[in-house]
Amino acid sequence: MSDEAAKPGKAAKPVKVTHLHRFSSSGHAAARFVAQRVILKGVVWSVAKVTVKGKETLADLKDPFIVVANHSSHLDAPLITGALPRARARYLAAGAAADYFFDVAWRRAATALFFNAFPVDRTGQGSRSGLAKELLGRGVPLLIFPQGGRSKDGIIGPFKPGAAVLSMHVGAPCVPVAIIGAADAMPPGRNWPVPGRPPVVVVFGEPMVAAPGESASDFSARLHRAVLDLHAAHSA
């Protein structure tokens, strides 16, 4: 999963998203409920000891919104979709790298089923920000990892401004989320979490909007700081 911003690499194959109704379809949402809440959450919560904090900050949250989180493990997206209240996760669409998750039919189908995924360009060869904006305009909340990719060492790198720009254009709040311990539970290079149910914490922060006159880069930096603060406050 990845942010809207460009990243050097192999050019992605063009990805056509012709059935936008699947993102807000109640039928697709019902199938995702089984995939996400029964299968995926059941597996992840059984192989890791997951603690969720800050759900009370989401009490008044309405669609659409943008979840922004640090990214260091393949566990991150399942942890967020499983930790969110069901009403907020029902139509959540996760940004996924077009050059990996959408290049093969079975991966495309799996990410659509489990994460309601939409393609994100990491190559600099094209732009799909219009799709993300359209989804928000239809009331579909998004999950974006603004680092642009998984951290190799668990350190939370700077955020790219794509999520902040979308938030400002559409008026959707951003929800900062800190994921703690996922990099140790399932570091890059592993296909399965380490044994022993390692502890993982998911922390939701207060929804944030840009201040009057604030630039997208400043808002993005403020979101980055919020995630860092949540991570530091709950790491102990």
Side-chain angles (χ1 to χ4, degrees):
M1 305 297 171
S2 180
D3 181 47
E4 295 283 342
K7 177 181 177 180
K10 183 179 68 175
K13 297 177 182 178
V15 176
K16 293 183 179 180
V17 182
T18 57
H19 300 291
L20 290 181
H21 73 277
R22 77 165 171 85
F23 292 98
S24 54
S25 162
S26 59
H28 285 80
R32 277 196 308 277
F33 174 83
V34 176
Q36 288 183 349
R37 313 293 282 199
V38 178
I39 299 173
L40 195 58
K41 183 175 181 178
V43 170
V44 173
W45 262 244
S46 69
V47 298
K49 185 177 180 181
V50 182
T51 301
V52 181
K53 300 182 179 182
K55 288 174 72 171
E56 66 278 2
T57 66
L58 310 179
D60 298 323
L61 186 66
K62 306 296 182 185
D63 295 344
F65 56 88
I66 304 170
V67 174
V68 293
N70 59 300
H71 194 22
S72 60
S73 170
H74 279 316
L75 289 176
D76 296 338
L79 284 166
I80 291 172
T81 57
L84 275 169
R86 172 58 191 149
R88 302 282 70 84
R90 187 180 186 196
Y91 295 109
L92 185 73
D99 56 314
Y100 179 77
F101 290 101
F102 285 82
D103 66 338
V104 179
W106 72 264
R107 273 200 295 257
R108 182 166 61 248
T111 54
L113 173 62
F114 283 94
F115 302 110
N116 204 21
F118 65 95
V120 168
D121 178 37
R122 302 189 301 177
T123 68
Q125 304 300 312
S127 173
R128 293 188 173 87
S129 61
L131 174 58
K133 188 176 179 180
E134 182 175 357
L135 290 173
L136 288 170
R138 289 174 175 233
V140 177
L142 305 183
L143 166 59
I144 293 176
F145 294 107
Q147 289 170 231
R150 285 180 298 159
S151 169
K152 302 296 185 186
D153 52 13
I155 295 174
I156 303 175
F159 282 5
K160 295 176 172 63
V165 170
L166 284 169
S167 173
M168 295 171 72
H169 281 178
V170 180
C174 288
V175 178
V177 178
I179 303 173
I180 303 163
D184 294 325
M186 188 175 173
R190 286 190 64 94
N191 295 321
W192 194 256
V194 299
R197 292 193 73 214
V200 178
V201 183
V202 181
V203 189
F204 294 100
E206 294 281 352
M208 299 169 61
V209 296
E214 188 173 27
S215 68
S217 59
D218 287 344
F219 183 33
S220 183
R222 196 156 55 87
L223 290 168
H224 181 241
R225 173 49 58 189
V227 173
L228 286 173
D229 289 346
L230 289 170
H231 197 283
H234 296 274
S235 289

